[in-house]
DNA sequence: TAGTTTTGTAAGTGATTACTCACTTTTAGT
DNA sequence: ACTAAAAGTGAGTAATCACTTACAAAACTA
């Protein structure tokens, strides 16, 4: 990976997240990155190839996050870490994950990288087990609920990313998943 | 509203939902609707004007749904109806609401019609009150939780719209909001 | 150092796109 | 029936876009 290739990748990511894939011309990416437009096509073949490279990065980063959750010992810690995941994601690389989430609604990319991939299935499995260990009656459904909650939380974070709001919401959510709550 | 104007609106809605705003040329809309391309601009000035007209429809339809929820007598019925809202939306006019949700992530339209508008604020207020009546300790936060849940549910419905799945999920969610559950 | 591959550039190019314009047809008010 | 406004058409047009090509510089290999 040469310096300029990486620069193109980062610039494209930033611009795609800010303005969307279709509304960001390759000429703009080149200009912003300070390289010739042709270089984009030398390295990534297509505009779509550029996006695919970004998506591959996403896959890797997410896999790392999931790995760290799976490594936790306590089932409750795993669940809490999962709740915290979107906050962590956005605080670290906001634009990057924003792009990921917006892609869910684009037909073009829903078939490829967003289809439940390895790390997602692993996380679901691990969290199901965590619920089971905690004595929940319907662990599979609880996972689904948690997934929905996290999706919704991500949406909220995009629209209201204030520190205070995040803190409040997180602690409220965690209080819903505590040892002394009923498990029906 | 002439017949052809309405035809343009419906066709554009369908195509925008299927293929996205930016990747749907006005020429395609005209061809599919069986009208001349110029007519689109006569009626809606811009391609963006066409989208604005669609967004205005959305506002109206959503307002109707909210009104019917607000009209319910029992607080629990209001909450359950809110949970059912996304299912109702998607079963009735899938493409239409899909477009709405995808727009949340587009900068262009986030400032305009998607900003918490009248009906949304009213619904939040009413549901907050419902939680209060049911004796929940923190009704404001419960509403937020419910909003996130509904966002997440909408996401799920887009990816897995099978009847059985919807039915299961709905009844599970409703069971979480029952009179005999604790309200901490 | 000679030769080869890789990285980089600048200037196109054809296709597509949103939008315009000159014009005709239909509708509606009096 | 006359007329003015509104609805509708079809053939442009300028601009933009993804991508190509011919070529040069740099980096690697022997």
């Amino acid at each position: 990976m040469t310096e300029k290739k990486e620069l193109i990748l980062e610039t494209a990511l930033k611009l795609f997240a800010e303005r969307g894939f279709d509304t960001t011309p390759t000429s703009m990416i080149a200009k912003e990155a300070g390289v010739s437009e042709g270089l984009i096509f030398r390295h990534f073949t297509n505009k779509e190839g550029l996006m695919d490279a970004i998506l591959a990065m996403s896959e890797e980063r997410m896999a790392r996050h999931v790995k760290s959750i799976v490594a936790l010992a306590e089932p409750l810690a795993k669940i809490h870490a999962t709740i915290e995941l979107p906050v962590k994601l956005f605080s670290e690389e906001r634009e990057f994950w924003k792009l990921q989430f917006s892609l869910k609604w684009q037909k073009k990319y829903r078939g490829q990288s967003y289809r439940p991939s390895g790390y997602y299935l692993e996380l679901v499995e691990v969290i199901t087990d965590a619920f089971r260990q905690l004595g929940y009656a319907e662990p599979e459904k609880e996972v689904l609920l948690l997934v929905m909650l996290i999706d919704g939380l991500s949406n909220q974070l995009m629209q209201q990313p204030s520190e205070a709001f995040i803190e409040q919401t997180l602690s409220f959510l965690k209080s819903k998943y505590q040892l002394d709550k009923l498990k029906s």
Side-chain angles (χ1 to χ4, degrees), chain A:
Chain A
M1 186 88 81
T2 66
E3 202 178 313
K4 293 205 172 181
K5 188 176 178 184
E6 207 146 5
L7 196 59
I8 290 171
L9 215 52
E10 276 170 38
T11 310
L13 164 59
K14 191 188 119 211
L15 290 176
F16 285 164
E18 276 172 6
R19 334 178 355 113
F21 177 79
D22 299 306
T23 49
T24 306
T26 51
S27 59
M28 182 182 284
I29 299 170
K31 203 175 174 184
E32 185 103 353
V35 301
S36 69
E37 197 179 348
L39 192 59
I40 295 177
F41 296 92
R42 164 118 315 161
H43 281 311
F44 302 100
T45 321
N46 269 343
K47 195 185 174 185
E48 216 179 296
L50 181 54
M51 179 60 109
D52 287 345
I54 293 175
L55 254 33
M57 280 171 48
S58 150
E59 202 85 356
E60 267 180 46
R61 296 190 198 185
M62 189 61 109
R64 265 206 305 280
H65 280 287
V66 168
K67 211 171 157 188
S68 79
I69 292 179
V70 170
L72 293 170
E74 296 294 318
L76 193 63
K78 284 177 189 162
I79 290 168
H80 283 190
T82 305
I83 292 174
E84 274 170 357
L85 189 56
V87 177
K88 221 176 209 164
L89 261 34
F90 285 126
S91 73
E92 283 171 11
E93 282 149 327
R94 197 147 200 285
E95 295 303 301
F96 183 83
W97 294 110
K98 191 174 129 190
L99 180 61
Q100 293 310 119
F101 277 88
S102 72
L103 248 40
K104 269 200 298 200
W105 300 98
Q106 301 227 15
K107 201 172 233 155
K108 205 193 290 179
Y109 286 104
R110 222 180 311 147
Q112 291 173 232
S113 270
Y114 200 80
R115 158 161 348 162
S117 40
Y119 65 79
Y120 177 78
L121 294 175
E122 189 189 358
L123 184 61
V124 165
E125 206 174 305
V126 166
I127 297 298
T128 308
D129 219 55
F131 276 122
R132 207 187 326 271
Q133 283 177 53
L134 288 173
Y136 278 78
E138 298 180 284
E140 287 86 3
K141 289 185 182 175
E142 292 289 346
V143 173
L144 188 63
L145 183 81
L146 192 58
V147 167
M148 294 192 299
L149 222 48
I150 284 168
D151 262 0
L153 180 57
S154 304
N155 283 8
Q156 288 294 317
L157 290 181
M158 291 311 308
Q159 280 152 30
Q160 177 150 16
S162 92
E163 280 296 326
F165 168 82
I166 292 171
E167 208 47 55
Q168 264 198 339
T169 310
L170 265 188
S171 70
F172 182 68
L173 277 182
K174 285 189 199 159
S175 79
K176 287 273 167 183
Y177 291 98
Q178 272 180 353
L179 289 175
D180 55 343
K181 285 284 155 59
L182 85 178
K183 312 287 166 38
S184 71

